[in-house]
Each structure stands twice: as C-alpha cells, then as structure tokens.
Amino acid sequence: MGMFTEQLRLIETLNPVYNALTTVFDVPAEQPAGPLAGVVFSVKANIDVAGAATTHGMKSLTGNMKTEDAPIVARLRAAGATPIAHANMPTLNARGMHTYSELAGHTINPWDATKSPGGSSGGDAVAVATGMVQIGIGNDSGGSLRLPAFLNGVCALKPSYGRYPQGAVFGQPDPPFPTQVMTVEGPLARTVADLRRVHELLCGPDLSDPRAVPVPPTGPPAPEVAGFVPGDPAVEAAAQRLADAGYEVEPVSPPRLDEAATLSLRMIATPIALGYEQFAAFAGEDVALFARHLLEVRPGLDLAEFLAVTATRLAVQREWARLLDRYPVLVGPVSTIPSFEPDQDRPSPEALAAYFEATKLCEATSFVGVPAVAVPTGLRDGLPTGVQVISRMYREDLALEAAAVLETALRPAVSVG
C-alpha cells in the first residue's frame, strides 16, 4: 500500500456505507512524480483504466478487461495522479438522475440517505464529497457531472465539446453522432481551484481523438459581465454575490432553451429507438423500462428529422455564441428541483418528463457544447444548494473564475456505519 495506506483505509471504512466505488485498484508502492503527485482519483465505470474491467455497471461485463487507459486517465496518470477505483454508475448509463447499477446497487447520498446522489456520475461525486478521493472523473451529456455535484455539494466541470480527448464507448469502436457531439468527460472536485488545476492538465490535442482542439487552457481577459436566469433562489443569490464582487449583472433568457433541451434528448433517444429490441434484451428490464419512458416523452428522430436537427443545432449554437459574447458568463440552475428521491424518475413517463424539465439548462448546454461549472453555494434545509456557471466555447477559465467567487465549501458529516 505504501503512501496510499491511509486513503485505502478510508475507502475501506466509508465505501461500505455509501457504495460509491465498485472496484479498488492495485496502487503503486512509490509516489509517482508530477504536479498531481499524491492525488488519488476515481474513474466512472464506463471509462477505461488499464488492468481493470470497464463494466458500465453490468454483471455481464466484469470480464471486460482493458489494456490501455482512456486518454483522460492517461493524462492524469502522467501528471502523477493515481487512479484508485472505478466508481458506480447507472447500468449502461441509463436512468441518469440516480446512481443504481445491477452490478453494485444503489449509491447513497452522504447528506441524506433518503435522497438520490444524482447521476450518472454519482459514484464519483459521492467519493469526492466523502473524501475517499480528491478527484473524480465522469462524463456528461445532459447533466451527468453537474447534477451529482449539485446534490452532493461538490464542484464539477463539463468542458466544451472537443476540449479534452475522449475515450470510446461500449460495443462500438467509436460512438454514434449524438454521443460524439454531446458527451464529454470531465472532473469533479471539492474546490474550484482543484478543477482548474486538473483542467489545465487535460487540455490539448491527441491523435486518438481528432475532435480535441489545440486551444490553450486560458484566454485573454474578458469584461466582468454576467447574465443570470431569474426565478431560482440559489441563482438569484449567486447573481447578487457576483454583483457584490464587481460584476455587471443582468437577467437574461437563454435562447431557444426548451427547443434545445428537447432536441438534445431526442438525439440521444434515436440510437435507442433504432435498436430498441436488441437494447432491451441486452440491458434488462430495469433499463428497458427507462428506455420505454424516454421514447414516450422524447421519441427518436427519423432520418429527415435528424438531418433537420443537425442544421437547427448550428443555428442554436450561433444564438448562444451571440449571448455569450454579450455576457461572458451565465449563471443558471443545475436543477430547479432541489433534491430527488432515488426512484423519482421511474414510476411513469410523466415523472421522467418532470425531471427533464427541471434539468433543461443542462440538456441545452450539452446540445450547444459550451462549458459549465457546477459549484456549491450553501445549504438549504440541510441539503446542498448550487448553480452552474456557463461560458463561451473553450473559455472554461471564465466560468471557473466566476465559480470561485460563488463557491461555498461544504463537507457532509460522514458515517462509518
């Protein structure tokens, strides 16, 4: 165990209570060198780690051993950080609002065991919140980093499309178009400073992923002008804090928000609709039920509709670019519902639609591809509150700067069972 003995003992003590981590890895006896030396991180169970199985939360994939790290894992390892465990996730990344897998069961929210820890990167968020790891690595195509960060009182960065090189997905050498343009991998951490430190190491092109852009981690100064989406108490309070810090702050309406949120989910639903019978047979009834509800409220697109959406997406991106030219940062809710029950999305299509409505700003920003930082801002009724700070393409640094003004350090009172 060497230098990681204390961290492994903490995992041994806390993980049986919170069920955040699924497989603990062998760790080096010596501390690796680099700017992240001594940092341990968890990796969502759909991201490859050399020498471990990428299970996607499925019992049938426990033998899906990998010989190479995903690019994002390789970059952290090269910086001296150590992957210590895979983290729990919803089976096949479905049912994204709650972290339950057929392989590992439910992950527990450390603030309130009756509430969901969110998803789909919920295992990583709980591992960070409880101190089992310093950094978590997950992915996000509509809030899957930001929602669990919000519900567990930690920070998360959904980077711009093409900002970091991405790994592959199960069953295909390369992901389909909706996944290519909306799913991004990114970090969770307890502080914005840690997000910034990791972000700077993850940026840059990679031959394994031609989408990754050669853009520096930071850009030139921008005016301290912020828009905010009115109506949510946490957002209103955050806007005031930015104003107190010297930002010019104004209420705004994000362009084509409902349309972008709906189309993002219909794009995601299209591959499921095209291969539903095979998907349901492989995934099992729990995931198949989710898929049926999804397709009822967000049906897949036919060919003509899909082609039209690719054009609409460009038009929506153009309108968001104009908005963010005027307001370099935009503050909005992660979810307009402050907490969820573990199975709140499951009873009916209408229940799932209510969740989609609550998180539509996450869905829309994934559709557009812009970066967003989820940051905790305090407590309400004993549970974390927070917002997301959105910025221009490839200007994660602007969102991180504003998030640092807003962040409130939170730490749940962890139980040892």
Side-chain angles (χ1 to χ4, degrees), residues 244-302:
D244 293 343
Y247 281 74
E248 177 187 337
V249 179
E250 297 177 9
V252 301
S253 296
R256 301 171 75 166
L257 176 60
D258 291 324
E259 180 184 16
T262 297
L263 290 177
S264 73
L265 289 164
R266 292 195 68 189
M267 284 181 69
I268 289 170
T270 298
I272 297 173
L274 288 171
Y276 175 77
E277 296 302 329
Q278 299 94 318
F279 176 83
F282 178 76
E285 178 53 29
D286 183 69
V287 175
L289 176 64
F290 166 82
R292 291 196 294 274
H293 290 172
L294 170 65
L295 294 173
E296 184 166 337
V297 299
R298 298 293 186 268
L301 302 160
D302 64 25

Side-chain angles (χ1 to χ4, degrees), residues 28 51 60 84 88 93 102 104 134 159 200 261 289 381 385 393 401 407:
S60 62
I84 201 165
N88 198 22
N93 222 28
E102 66 168 36
Q134 289 99 325
E200 292 175 354
L289 176 64
D381 299 326
T385 63
M393 287 292 285
E401 287 172 9
E407 77 175 309

Side-chain angles (χ1 to χ4, degrees), residues 2-387:
M3 65 164 294
F4 299 106
T5 299
E6 183 176 343
Q7 203 71 37
L8 289 166
R9 285 178 177 162
L10 185 63
I11 291 170
E12 185 179 0
T13 299
L14 295 181
N15 199 52
V17 179
Y18 299 107
N19 199 32
L21 304 175
T22 59
T23 303
V24 178
F25 307 143
D26 293 332
V27 294
E30 301 293 330
Q31 176 174 295
L36 295 182
V39 171
V40 297
F41 64 99
S42 61
V43 183
K44 191 175 180 178
N46 63 357
I47 300 174
D48 293 351
V49 176
T54 303
T55 66
H56 299 261
M58 295 200 71
K59 294 177 180 178
S60 62
L61 294 178
T62 54
N64 186 29
M65 302 299 294
K66 300 298 177 177
T67 58
E68 294 183 358
D69 290 332
I72 192 170
V73 175
R75 287 194 173 176
L76 290 178
R77 202 192 291 266
T82 298
I84 201 165
H86 262 140
N88 198 22
M89 58 175 277
T91 308
L92 284 181
N93 222 28
R95 292 193 63 202
M97 69 154 284
H98 177 61
T99 296
Y100 165 82
S101 70
E102 66 168 36
L103 178 62
H106 294 273
T107 294
I108 305 303
N109 187 319
W111 293 91
D112 184 338
T114 70
K115 302 295 185 182
S116 173
S120 58
S121 305
D124 292 285
V126 171
V128 170
T130 57
M132 286 188 270
V133 299
Q134 289 99 325
I135 302 293
I137 295 297
N139 35 48
D140 188 314
S141 59
S144 288
L145 285 163
R146 291 164 284 173
L147 180 67
F150 166 70
L151 294 176
N152 291 283
V154 299
C155 305
L157 169 58
K158 183 202 86 69
S160 307
Y161 164 76
R163 176 49 109 171
Y164 310 150
Q166 306 292 300
V169 295
F170 169 72
Q172 300 162 300
D174 291 297
F177 182 78
T179 303
Q180 286 183 36
V181 298
M182 286 190 290
T183 301
V184 294
E185 292 164 2
L188 301 106
R190 190 166 290 129
T191 67
V192 172
D194 280 346
L195 286 184
R196 188 194 307 270
R197 188 163 58 137
V198 171
H199 167 67
E200 292 175 354
L201 294 166
L202 294 177
C203 292
D206 190 297
L207 291 177
S208 69
D209 185 357
R211 297 168 294 174
V213 295
V215 178
T218 60
E224 290 190 337
V225 179
F228 72 96
V229 181
D232 182 270
V235 173
E236 302 269 0
Q240 185 59 54
R241 287 167 72 174
L242 287 177
D244 293 343
Y247 281 74
E248 177 187 337
V249 179
E250 297 177 9
V252 301
S253 296
R256 301 171 75 166
L257 176 60
D258 291 324
E259 180 184 16
T262 297
L263 290 177
S264 73
L265 289 164
R266 292 195 68 189
M267 284 181 69
I268 289 170
T270 298
I272 297 173
L274 288 171
Y276 175 77
E277 296 302 329
Q278 299 94 318
F279 176 83
F282 178 76
E285 178 53 29
D286 183 69
V287 175
L289 176 64
F290 166 82
R292 291 196 294 274
H293 290 172
L294 170 65
L295 294 173
E296 184 166 337
V297 299
R298 298 293 186 268
L301 302 160
D302 64 25
L303 178 58
E305 291 171 325
F306 195 92
L307 290 175
V309 167
T310 63
T312 300
R313 179 172 175 268
L314 182 61
V316 174
Q317 287 176 310
R318 186 179 297 114
E319 293 190 35
W320 273 81
R322 289 171 178 155
L323 174 74
L324 293 170
D325 182 62
R326 170 70 181 89
Y327 303 97
V329 294
L330 172 66
V331 181
V334 174
S335 168
T336 55
I337 298 174
S339 65
F340 297 93
E341 307 302 317
D343 288 321
Q344 192 164 327
D345 65 328
R346 185 173 172 79
S348 66
E350 293 75 21
L352 184 60
Y355 162 69
F356 290 153
E357 175 66 20
T359 59
K360 65 184 178 183
L361 187 60
C362 290
E363 296 143 22
T365 46
S366 289
F367 185 72
V368 175
V370 291
V373 175
V375 59
T377 55
L379 292 173
R380 184 189 306 143
D381 299 326
L383 295 174
T385 63
V387 299

